[in-house]
Amino acid sequence: MRVMFDVTDPDERKHTMTEKKGKAEGIDVKALLAGDDAFIRTVVRAALQEVLEAEMTEALSAEKGERTTSRVGYRSGYYGRTLITRVGKLELRVPQDRDGRFSTELFERYQRSERALVAALAEMYVQGVSTRKVKAITEELCGHSFSASSISTINRRLDESLAQFAARRLSEAFPYLIVDARYEKVREAGVITSQAVLIAIGIDWDGRRQVVGVEMANRESRSSWRDFLLGLRERGLAGVEFVVADDHAGLKAAIREVLPEAAYQRCYVHFLRNALDYVPRKVDDDCLQELRWIYDRRNLAEARADLAAWIGKWQAKYAKLVAWVEDNIEETLTFYQLPRQHHKHLKSTNMLERLNEEIKRRTHVVRIFPNAESCLRLVRALCVETHENWLEAHRYLNMDYLRELKKEAMRKAA
């Protein structure tokens, strides 16, 4: 896990003291700070270690070894924690208390997904469905073993923040919506099943990406997608003009029902993968590559011209493929109605696929979740972290292009 800290603006008082000391000893402090990475890491590590100790003192209402009636607990050693920062890798000693109640705010935001992962693994271990390897992983991640009560404490704290995220009001409009599902293995009543994780990403009028919904369903069906989209509407989802999704009959039906005003874009990447079913296993010519190039054209007129040429060239050799393309390609060309600057971002579900890859990387550690709640907890924790990172980043799209396109359309309509 990587936690990033900006150390370019240190505390003014410490900076002044260091500068005075440097002048007294005849040291060029600026040159030292600029060139000695080891020195900077030492300073940052010492500062963060002091923060951890101060947080533990505040949590226990007592200094180390202090005798006081206000004490609410006792220290119980340390566990190691590695942070990757802008000044390099820092090895920290995180204090523990006997009751396991201490949770440092230093890592709070960045450890949601780690805590969710640990909780899932620990649940497996406590339920007796894991191995010694799982126990070793959990203890390595958190530095101590787990009981059913400690897992309950971890989950209770985590679930409160995740529930707030999942139920938050969507108070702004999202002209763009990207939806997709992935499957995770879950143990229910002793039976292992694959359950769908439904995820939706929205892009607001500021051009920022947001994770707007994450839910579990037994499978992808019209009813499950309908309930998912209706849940977003009930939380305030509005202003959706364009939806990107895969070609799933239930999902398409739910979009038409819940978001009838939105244009539908079938992911062209999935479309090209589906095309492989209509050609021989080993294709040794440029047929599929030329089909792919259609999606790089500047406008719909160019794309249609290329499509017509492609059909004429390959119809005799790949009649089955060409017939399928003619019947289905129109849904993949909807993105041409958007500003050209947005084409590469909204002709596929790739931005959601990247999030799914990160989810897969973490859920692969668990493999089989002890229950659906555990699975949803980890996926939501990862989505919260991604969501917060997106909000802090530069805007993903310049929405001025869409505004201008809409204005131009209104002028023509008038």
Side-chain angles (χ1 to χ4, degrees):
M1 182 186 67
R2 295 192 174 189
V3 182
M4 305 301 293
F5 290 92
D6 189 350
V7 296
T8 59
D9 185 22
D11 182 84
E12 185 65 27
R13 181 177 60 82
K14 292 182 179 179
H15 175 76
T16 304
M17 292 175 61
T18 304
E19 188 174 27
K20 288 180 178 179
K21 182 178 179 180
K23 289 180 179 178
E25 297 179 359
I27 301 173
D28 187 341
V29 177
K30 291 184 178 180
L32 178 64
L33 291 175
D36 192 343
D37 292 340
F39 174 77
I40 297 175
R41 284 196 297 273
T42 300
V43 171
V44 175
R45 180 187 177 281
L48 296 181
Q49 196 66 56
E50 287 184 13
V51 170
L52 291 171
E53 296 293 346
E55 285 187 343
M56 175 59 87
T57 296
E58 183 179 355
L60 299 182
S61 298
E63 297 280 355
K64 184 184 295 186
E66 179 183 6
R67 296 180 180 275
T68 173
T69 56
S70 62
R71 178 184 289 277
V72 294
Y74 293 88
R75 293 173 180 256
S76 181
Y78 297 82
Y79 68 91
R81 182 68 176 272
T82 300
L83 273 72
I84 306 299
T85 74
R86 295 181 183 180
V87 296
K89 183 183 293 186
L90 304 179
E91 301 292 342
L92 298 176
R93 299 173 69 240
V94 182
Q96 302 178 101
D97 65 301
R98 293 180 185 176
D99 297 327
R101 292 181 297 184
F102 174 66
S103 177
T104 171
E105 294 182 3
L106 183 63
F107 308 126
E108 183 65 26
R109 173 176 167 188
Y110 296 92
Q111 70 176 170
R112 282 195 195 96
S113 61
E114 181 177 308
R115 293 206 316 270
L117 174 59
V118 168
L121 292 169
E123 281 186 272
M124 292 169 63
Y125 176 69
V126 169
Q127 292 184 19
V129 297
S130 65
T131 65
R132 284 178 296 177
K133 181 180 179 181
V134 170
K135 180 175 183 291
I137 292 174
T138 58
E139 294 187 0
E140 181 179 349
L141 286 172
C142 270
H144 56 82
S145 58
F146 292 87
S147 64
S149 61
S150 65
I151 295 169
S152 178
T153 300
I154 292 173
N155 290 346
R156 184 172 62 253
R157 292 173 180 172
L158 186 56
D159 288 345
E160 289 174 0
S161 63
L162 297 181
Q164 292 176 357
F165 172 79
R168 76 189 190 281
R169 187 71 182 169
L170 302 175
S171 57
E172 53 200 308
F174 292 92
Y176 294 152
L177 189 70
I178 302 91
V179 292
D180 198 6
R182 60 170 290 102
Y183 282 84
E184 299 291 348
K185 293 189 180 300
V186 175
R187 187 185 302 271
E188 293 285 5
V191 179
I192 299 173
T193 61
S194 290
Q195 295 197 14
V197 182
L198 313 181
I199 303 176
I201 294 175
I203 300 179
D204 59 30
W205 278 104
D206 287 332
R208 299 187 185 280
R209 292 172 291 177
Q210 297 189 38
V211 179
V212 295
V214 186
E215 299 292 344
M216 294 282 292
N218 289 331
R219 61 190 178 90
E220 285 187 90
S221 64
R222 176 174 180 171
S223 60
S224 62
W225 276 117
R226 178 179 177 276
D227 291 344
F228 178 73
L229 295 176
L230 284 175
L232 297 180
R233 289 287 292 264
E234 290 170 1
R235 288 170 46 215
L237 179 69
V240 179
E241 301 179 10
F242 192 85
V243 180
V244 188
D246 191 11
D247 178 46
H248 186 282
L251 174 55
K252 290 166 61 176
I255 292 172
R256 287 194 298 269
E257 180 179 352
V258 183
L259 301 170
E261 69 283 0
Y264 165 70
Q265 164 68 31
R266 177 176 176 176
C267 174
Y268 89 96
V269 175
H270 287 89
F271 177 80
L272 293 176
R273 290 175 188 164
N274 296 149
L276 294 172
D277 295 335
Y278 298 89
V279 293
R281 181 169 298 180
K282 293 183 179 180
V283 179
D284 58 358
D285 52 40
D286 296 329
C287 176
L288 295 178
Q289 182 60 51
E290 291 176 5
L291 180 61
R292 162 69 182 80
W293 287 338
I294 292 172
Y295 299 97
D296 294 333
R297 302 290 74 93
R298 294 171 59 88
N299 54 54
L300 185 58
E302 290 184 7
R304 291 197 186 284
D306 279 7
L307 176 60
W310 181 87
I311 292 173
K313 180 178 179 179
W314 299 106
Q315 192 165 29
K317 185 172 183 179
Y318 298 118
K320 186 178 179 181
L321 170 65
V322 170
W324 176 82
V325 168
E326 287 185 291
D327 289 340
N328 293 277
I329 196 171
E330 200 63 35
E331 290 180 332
T332 72
L333 303 177
T334 316
F335 71 95
Y336 279 113
Q337 68 182 249
L338 301 179
R340 185 166 56 84
Q341 296 83 351
H342 294 181
H343 288 180
K344 69 177 182 179
H345 303 286
L346 292 161
K347 60 186 177 183
S348 73
T349 59
N350 278 356
M351 74 172 75
L352 185 43
E353 292 291 339
R354 287 190 286 271
L355 173 58
N356 279 335
E357 283 299 313
E358 179 61 19
I359 293 172
K360 179 181 178 181
R361 186 178 70 84
R362 302 304 295 273
T363 58
H364 180 71
V365 177
V366 181
R367 295 183 182 274
I368 301 173
F369 285 88
N371 49 60
E373 292 78 12
S374 178
C375 179
L376 184 59
R377 183 180 299 120
L378 175 54
V379 174
R380 275 185 175 166
L382 287 163
C383 287
V384 170
E385 292 179 4
T386 298
H387 172 84
E388 291 175 344
N389 289 336
W390 282 347
L391 289 181
E392 290 185 354
H394 295 295
R395 62 182 180 177
Y396 184 68
L397 293 178
N398 184 342
M399 300 301 284
D400 291 340
Y401 297 122
L402 182 60
R403 291 187 180 93
E404 290 300 319
L405 188 66
K406 289 170 67 69
K407 288 179 182 178
E408 181 64 24
M410 291 176 64
R411 283 195 294 266
K412 291 181 178 179

